[in-house]
Amino acid sequence: MEPEWIQSIVEEVVRQLGRKEAVQKPNQVPLAVSARHVHLSEQHLAILFGQSYTLKKKSDLSQPNQFAAEETVILSGPKGTIERVRVLGPSRHLTQVEVSQTDAFKLGLTPPIRQSGDIKGSSPITIIGPKGSVYLNEGLIIAQAHIHMAPDDARRFGVEDGQYVQVRAETERPITFERVRIRVSPSYRLEMHIDTDEANSGFIRTGQTGEIISAGQTQSTCHSPVLIEEKQTIIPLFEGKLLSQHEVKQLDGPVIRVGKTTIVTPLAKDTARELGKKIEVIDE
Ligand SMILES: [Zn+2]
């Protein structure tokens, strides 16, 4: 067997094992780091690489039917250029360029953070290929961190398409991603995509996992008063082993939450009743 063959088989096995382990633990999602890349429309592909040009597949990406092409382009902005930027296939309806904030500084451009496909009003960018160049009025974005998942995964996590969640990565430099968008489609495979800046800030490499630690709000209810109200009524759990009359008098608020294992003295119960406070026992 050719060494490259063995290498790729080993990598695939490791990848599958990692995936299995990730789905066995509840709320775990495999992390993948997206480097800067370009999606091209048929029209722009023809301008950059020549009429009737077909992209050559270099390697498959984790999402079904998506691939990294052999072809690369040069990105150019007012302050600088970035060479050898990977083209991803297949062609799309609209050309879109995804970079990190660090890349944007180098180019001298200010792309917005957007979900893939949402390029209206985004940053202009010049793309240079071997046969020509294209100036786009819009199309340069910084990708919003997101998790691809199938409907089954969404049910398991109790989340829906378009919702934002928090994801914690326990690495050497632990990090929590606050606004991670859920993207659900039957054609998706479970994976969270972050850019190189996000990965670097948390010492993350592709293949590691993160944990969904809380489900946020959907975009449509971003400023919903219901959610704000919910936040205000969160009451901390009393963590002592014994809840006595003394604690009942001291603790603020109409509700005292205790764990199942905390002993509540009869006098504490009487005092709570007298003061109009409710003692709530929580399953920890
Ligand atoms: Zn993605």
Side-chain angles (χ1 to χ4, degrees):
M1 252 198 284
E2 302 277 321
E4 301 98 278
W5 259 99
I6 298 168
Q7 176 71 14
S8 66
I9 290 168
V10 168
E11 277 173 9
E12 180 58 22
V13 169
V14 169
R15 207 164 63 87
Q16 293 296 339
L17 283 175
R19 201 176 294 284
K20 236 181 207 160
E21 193 193 337
V23 278
Q24 273 165 3
K25 289 186 210 156
N27 291 354
Q28 293 281 321
V29 289
L31 301 172
V33 186
S34 299
R36 64 180 82 94
H37 62 267
V38 176
H39 301 276
L40 295 174
S41 66
E42 289 287 351
Q43 184 206 350
H44 291 152
L45 179 68
I47 296 169
L48 297 170
F49 290 93
Q51 275 308 321
S52 316
Y53 192 88
T54 316
L55 292 171
K56 294 191 238 359
K57 188 190 282 187
K58 181 174 182 277
S59 58
D60 282 311
L61 298 178
S62 59
Q63 296 307 314
N65 303 322
Q66 304 294 303
F67 65 90
E70 296 277 0
E71 290 77 9
T72 62
V73 292
I74 298 168
L75 299 181
S76 178
K79 281 204 179 147
T81 60
I82 299 175
E83 290 181 23
R84 299 188 54 75
V85 178
R86 187 66 55 193
V87 177
L88 302 191
S91 302
R92 283 198 182 180
H93 176 54
L94 290 172
T95 294
Q96 175 178 305
V97 183
E98 294 173 47
V99 295
S100 68
Q101 178 75 304
T102 305
D103 293 335
F105 287 145
K106 195 171 175 193
L107 295 166
L109 292 165
T110 52
I113 297 176
R114 290 283 180 83
Q115 181 184 201
S116 183
D118 176 17
I119 58 166
K120 204 168 182 344
S122 61
S123 169
I125 181 71
T126 300
I127 308 172
I128 303 165
K131 293 280 166 65
S133 67
V134 178
Y135 173 81
L136 300 177
N137 280 312
E138 57 186 23
L140 181 70
I141 63 166
I142 295 171
Q144 170 83 52
H146 57 276
I147 306 174
H148 294 270
M149 60 175 73
D152 273 354
D153 297 313
R155 266 190 292 278
R156 187 160 56 87
F157 292 124
V159 296
E160 57 186 48
D161 188 60
Q163 186 175 354
Y164 289 95
V165 296
Q166 283 185 324
V167 175
R168 175 96 178 144
E170 286 298 338
T171 58
E172 206 180 328
R173 193 201 270 165
I175 186 168
T176 302
F177 296 97
E178 296 290 332
R179 271 172 67 80
V180 183
R181 195 180 167 104
I182 299 291
R183 298 181 58 185
V184 182
S185 162
S187 67
Y188 287 157
R189 196 181 276 183
L190 182 63
E191 195 167 67
M192 172 164 158
H193 289 173
I194 51 175
D195 73 16
T196 46
D197 280 356
E198 291 170 309
N200 292 343
S201 63
F203 270 42
I204 292 165
R205 283 181 308 276
T206 291
Q208 289 178 312
T209 60
E211 187 188 0
I212 298 178
I213 53 171
S214 83
Q217 60 271 50
T218 51
Q219 199 173 33
S220 57
T221 57
C222 218
H223 302 291
S224 157
V226 175
L227 280 155
I228 293 162
E229 211 172 86
E230 266 176 18
K231 259 188 189 158
Q232 285 170 342
T233 58
I234 289 172
I235 298 154
L237 193 69
F238 172 73
E239 287 182 340
K241 291 253 177 292
L242 184 81
L243 183 77
S244 68
Q245 183 190 32
H246 176 72
E247 279 83 28
V248 170
K249 281 182 177 167
Q250 279 211 322
L251 290 166
D252 281 335
V255 181
I256 299 166
R257 283 192 176 153
V258 298
K260 252 183 169 174
T261 53
T262 298
I263 298 158
V264 181
T265 66
L267 196 53
K269 283 180 190 168
D270 291 343
T271 308
R273 208 174 303 127
E274 279 164 28
L275 297 172
K277 292 183 180 183
K278 194 176 165 233
I279 298 172
E280 226 176 69
V281 182
I282 304 289
D283 273 324
E284 282 160 294

